[in-house]
């Protein structure tokens, strides 16, 4: 079985190095998951995420002319729905929020002006 760019497959970690992990793919080929493609957050120590013989789902990023296969674990994961499904905001909601913000802002500014005037001794002086 040969792998193709963009394909997601299950592989087995065969080696872990400071720069990434080697993963055996179906068909006997192996590829490298660079440390930057292990997780969606910064990975300082790859050993905290992967161990030899772990089964992982990987996405094939590229296959070089020399046969080297570049893989990604983080791109094989499904994106979180919360990030994809942003709540749509209607123009009425925006106008209402803007109006509330302006009203609150004006109230705060008038309070600040009154306090400043009282410290200076009022308007007449």
């Amino acid at each position: 079985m040969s792998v193709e760019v963009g394909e997601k497959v299950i592989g087995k970690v065969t080696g872990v190095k400071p720069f990434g992990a080697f993963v055996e793919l179906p068909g006997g080929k192996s590829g490298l998951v660079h440390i930057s493609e292990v997780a969606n957050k910064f990975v300082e120590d790859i050993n905290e995420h992967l161990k030899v013989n772990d089964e992982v789902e990987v996405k094939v990023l590229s296959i070089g002319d020399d046969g080297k296969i570049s893989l990604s674990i983080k791109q094989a994961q499904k994106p979180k729905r919360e990030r994809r499904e942003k709540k749509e905001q209607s123009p009425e909601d925006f106008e209402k929020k803007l109006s509330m913000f302006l009203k609150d802002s004006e109230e705060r500014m008038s309070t600040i002006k009154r306090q400043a005037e009282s410290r200076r001794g009022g308007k007449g002086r």
Side-chain angles (χ1 to χ4, degrees):
M1 176 182 169
S2 66
V3 293
E4 295 181 21
V5 174
E7 185 177 7
K8 292 181 184 178
V9 295
I10 302 293
K12 188 176 192 178
V13 177
T14 58
V16 178
K17 300 290 181 193
F19 55 85
F22 294 97
V23 176
E24 184 179 342
L25 304 172
K29 295 192 175 194
S30 76
L32 175 70
V33 177
H34 188 267
I35 191 168
S36 65
E37 292 294 329
V38 171
N40 285 321
K41 60 181 183 173
F42 178 74
V43 176
E44 188 170 336
D45 182 6
I46 194 168
N47 293 299
E48 294 176 0
H49 295 269
L50 297 172
K51 306 274 184 263
V52 173
N53 293 325
D54 282 354
E55 281 199 357
V56 292
E57 183 179 22
V58 294
K59 181 177 180 180
V60 180
L61 299 180
S62 66
I63 301 173
D65 293 335
D66 55 0
K68 290 184 179 179
I69 302 172
S70 178
L71 305 169
S72 172
I73 293 173
K74 73 179 182 182
Q75 292 185 37
Q77 298 170 347
K78 295 177 184 164
K80 291 188 176 182
R81 286 194 160 190
E82 302 88 55
R83 291 183 189 158
R84 286 191 292 149
E85 296 176 3
K86 290 186 177 179
K87 183 182 174 189
E88 294 294 321
Q89 188 176 50
S90 70
E92 293 83 19
D93 289 343
F94 176 76
E95 291 294 329
K96 186 176 180 181
K97 286 182 180 181
L98 182 60
S99 174
M100 288 172 49
F101 170 79
L102 290 173
K103 181 180 176 189
D104 184 52
S105 179
E106 288 171 2
E107 288 173 0
R108 289 178 187 218
M109 287 302 295
S110 66
T111 301
I112 291 170
K113 286 179 183 177
R114 276 196 306 267
Q115 290 173 348
E117 288 172 0
S118 69
R119 287 188 195 127
R120 284 188 258 148
K123 289 184 179 179
R125 292 191 174 191

